């Protein structure tokens, strides 16, 4: 008996939503520096029948916050508050290494947003930094179009020469198949 080969050429567009915790790794040395923050990502991925996918990513990641009272400077003592968060705008590649495990790598721009207060004056600045991230994710399918899981993500910011490590809960939804 000769059987015909099944020609399964499935392409899909999916959305990946990640929310979790990030840790900012820096050489800044302040006693009141909070290096813990929220991490959130949104990816839209094109998944051909091959193991390699490509897409776009954005999100939000709090890098640090600082609240110091009676901080001594060359201009006198002051109360200081400062914070920085970033919004990535990336192109992302993903490779399935096992049915439920993917490795990801992305590069692009980080929009850096700084705000704070010192000597009674509000401070703010915005910067652009190139950067990259790599990650690994595990997802468990709920049905043919949804999966849940987790992701570990390492990010590098070239302008700051600092990095973050994030762990996120991941929700994946295939919204278009052809």
């Amino acid at each position: 008996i000769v059987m015909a080969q099944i020609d399964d050429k499935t392409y899909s567009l999916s959305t990946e939503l990640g929310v979790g915790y990030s840790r900012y790794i820096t050489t800044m040395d302040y006693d009141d520096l909070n290096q813990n923050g929220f991490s959130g990502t949104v990816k839209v991925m094109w998944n051909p029948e091959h193991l390699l996918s490509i897409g776009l990513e954005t999100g939000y990641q709090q890098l640090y916050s600082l609240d110091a009272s009676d901080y001594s400077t060359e201009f006198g003592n002051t109360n200081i508050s400062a914070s920085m968060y970033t919004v990535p705008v990336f192109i992302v590649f993903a490779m399935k290494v096992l049915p439920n495990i993917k490795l990801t790598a992305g590069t692009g721009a980080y929009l850096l947003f700084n705000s704070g207060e010192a000597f009674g004056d509000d401070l703010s600045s915005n910067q652009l930094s190139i950067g990259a991230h790599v990650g690994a994710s595990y997802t468990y399918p709920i049905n043919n179009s949804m999966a849940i899981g987790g992701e570990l993500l390492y990010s590098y910011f070239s302008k700051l020469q600092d990095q973050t490590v994030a762990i996120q809960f991941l929700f994946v939804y295939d919204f278009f198949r052809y």
Side-chain angles (χ1 to χ4, degrees), residues 11-14 44-48 50 52-56 178:
Y11 301 85
S12 70
L13 290 172
S14 64
V44 176
M45 301 294 290
W46 176 57
N47 308 293
H50 312 300
L52 185 65
S53 301
I54 188 170
L56 299 173
Y178 59 98

Side-chain angles (χ1 to χ4, degrees), residues 59-178:
Y60 173 92
Q61 192 172 54
Q62 180 182 351
L63 300 182
Y64 70 83
S65 63
L66 174 67
D67 286 307
S69 299
D70 200 31
Y71 186 77
S72 178
T73 72
E74 62 184 87
F75 304 108
N77 290 1
T78 185
N79 295 335
I80 293 177
S81 68
S83 66
M84 180 185 281
Y85 69 91
T86 184
V87 174
V89 179
F90 273 18
I91 185 166
V92 181
F93 299 92
M95 171 70 93
K96 270 189 184 178
V97 292
L98 292 172
N100 296 350
I101 296 177
K102 285 195 302 188
L103 299 178
T104 60
T107 188
Y110 283 106
L111 308 173
L112 302 170
F113 298 93
N114 302 289
S115 63
E117 187 267 326
F119 293 102
D121 291 328
D122 289 334
L123 312 166
S124 71
S125 71
N126 303 326
Q127 299 176 342
L128 182 66
S129 174
I130 60 171
H133 69 58
V134 294
S137 65
Y138 172 83
T139 54
Y140 182 80
I142 297 173
N143 58 33
N144 286 342
S145 62
M146 289 189 284
I148 58 171
E151 178 177 43
L152 181 63
L153 196 60
Y154 167 83
S155 303
Y156 176 77
F157 315 96
S158 66
K159 185 152 197 105
L160 304 173
Q161 296 183 355
D162 289 338
Q163 52 263 324
T164 60
V165 174
I167 187 163
Q168 300 185 134
F169 171 77
L170 201 57
F171 175 75
V172 180
Y173 178 67
D174 286 344
F175 62 90
F176 184 70
R177 287 183 181 269
Y178 59 98

